[in-house]
Amino acid sequence: MTETSLRKRREACVREHMESENEHAFDVTIKTFTHPRYELVATGDVYDGEEEVWRYYRQSRTAFPDQRNEIHAIHHAEDAVIVEFDLLGTHLGPLRGMPPTGRAFRTRMTAFFLFEGDRIAIDGTTGNITIDDVPLVEPDMTEHFEQVLAWCDELRTLGIRANADTPADARKARAFGAEGIGLCRTEHMFMAADRQPKMREMILADNLADRRAALDELLPLQQQDFEQVFEVMDGLPVTIRLLDPPLHEFLPPDEDDPRAHALREVNPMLGTRGCRLAMLHPEIYEMQVRAIMRAARAVKDRLEHVPLLEVMIPLIGYERELQILRELVHRIAGEESMTHHDDYLVGTMIELPRACFLADAIAEQADFFSFGTNDLTQTALGFSRDDIEGKILGPYVEMKVFDRSPFETIDKPGVGQLVRMGAWLGRKTKPDLKLGVCGEHGGDPDSIDFFHNSGIDYVSCSPFRVPVARVAAAQAAIRGT
Ligand code: PEP
Ligand code: MG
């Protein structure tokens, strides 16, 4: 029964893959892969990753614009689906240096679709595991569950916020009992389809005037986004992180403008990102701060409650960076008639080891710290978040280097000590400095226990982890008494 449904699911995936290729709907085809990859056995060519697979589509469909397939038979193996089909097309474009011949071809082919990591679902109550494509349903907060959480809230001292970037996430966060937003990643607001062309103009602008013109168009859209989030949060604190990712991440992978090439970096995660972006292009943060302040004013005019705004600067390593960017925030806020402390605070993420060592000097410039333990883990351990998962984590757990991924649970003796030092040095300068944690660890019960015992004021995690965080924070408080 389960095997039959697994086969059905695989077959539907393969058919969607091949039909969307026929329709040139390659964005659909790409989605049928968990990891896009083609190996052409005859030539030995390998196209690995989304960018490469798009290159394959471009190349093959330039040579054979009408290339299509006709399926004859589908067979199932343990980890694969094998398809016998005819491939057809007309040679109308250049092919490996060969000029077009105009000749049509039809050839019998076999394709192996390898299935690794099929989705499985676990019933958290019974422990039953299924490979059926079970529907996803929103979890219900029952009355009893709410009662247990209410008891937890009475016991815990650690605040619980949520990482939320959209009104929908903010609503979820509130429904699960979050006491504010601890991280609103503004880059997601730039990724919506209607923003992409404007973002592209901004990134590829040749001069400041053109960049500012593109930013002026983005401003009202960003303001709208903030207004919606602020309305949902109805007076609760909202920490808004100014733009963090490197700019080339907002361009399509096949962007071939030479200015896009110039933006590419060997190691973008350690390159022109975070506050460094704004040190080089302050106009981006100026637009964001203006949008935040205008949104807050607009919401204040409409509603009784306006959130306490916490403007957060990412990836600070040097106190001078924060000094310069904090002045930028104050200048723009002043132009929008907003007042420091009454209307907004300015703080920083602490996500570089240097920021932990120099936290006393950095605190001079900050109203709050939020430990970005994802980047802090990455930079303290020298592990690339995106690269080690598939290769190093498994063997390292087997060889007992560590029990769990340090990106999942805080590495207490290493990264954890940096957090403690940062907290201690920050509070040496400002005893009331507000301290949060907004990396993934903010939703991990073990890490929550550690943060509770490190003087942290609140953790911020994904909305769905908020209930678990409330329980873990209460358990930490009980253990500590
Ligand atoms: C972090 O580094 O912990 C963080 C929250 O930022 P991001 O994951 O967006 O880099
Ligand atoms: Mg980060």
Side-chain angles (χ1 to χ4, degrees), residues 340-470:
H340 184 210
H341 289 301
D342 288 344
D343 298 316
Y344 71 93
L345 303 175
V346 186
T348 178
M349 293 190 77
I350 300 286
E351 42 191 351
L352 294 174
R354 189 182 195 279
C356 296
F357 290 120
L358 275 294
D360 47 351
I362 290 176
E364 301 275 1
Q365 310 293 334
D367 301 320
F368 64 89
F369 282 175
S370 180
F371 289 89
T373 48
N374 302 334
D375 269 306
L376 189 57
T377 299
Q378 176 162 251
T379 50
L381 300 181
F383 278 149
S384 147
R385 236 194 293 189
D386 297 329
D387 295 321
I388 75 154
E389 246 164 33
K391 296 175 192 149
I392 296 173
L393 284 186
Y396 264 41
V397 170
E398 249 169 58
M399 290 189 270
K400 299 194 188 311
V401 178
F402 43 61
D403 299 334
R404 287 174 67 196
S405 160
F407 289 101
E408 209 179 278
T409 194
I410 196 85
D411 163 49
K412 290 175 198 155
V415 182
Q417 288 311 309
L418 283 173
V419 171
R420 282 197 171 159
M421 182 173 47
W424 175 69
L425 284 174
R427 287 238 172 96
K428 221 171 90 173
T429 301
K430 287 191 178 159
D432 296 332
L433 189 71
K434 190 159 37 164
L435 301 175
V437 168
C438 63
E440 285 303 309
H441 308 89
D444 167 59
D446 241 14
S447 311
I448 288 174
D449 187 74
F450 180 83
F451 298 137
H452 168 86
N453 290 308
S454 305
I456 299 295
D457 294 310
Y458 68 87
V459 292
S460 188
C461 55
S462 97
F464 287 110
R465 300 181 88 184
V466 165
V468 170
R470 288 163 70 187

Side-chain angles (χ1 to χ4, degrees), residues 2 27 34 101 188 201 214 220 229 257 266-267 271 327 359 364 392 404 409 427-428 444 462 470:
T2 349
D27 47 341
T34 33
T101 58
H188 295 159
E201 270 173 47
V229 171
D257 188 299
V266 177
N267 192 346
E327 278 164 16
E364 301 275 1
I392 296 173
R404 287 174 67 196
T409 194
R427 287 238 172 96
K428 221 171 90 173
D444 167 59
S462 97
R470 288 163 70 187

Side-chain angles (χ1 to χ4, degrees), residues 98-112:
M98 193 198 306
T101 58
R103 283 161 58 189
F105 78 95
R106 174 186 280 269
T107 183
R108 189 72 166 215
M109 307 271 285
T110 308
F112 292 80

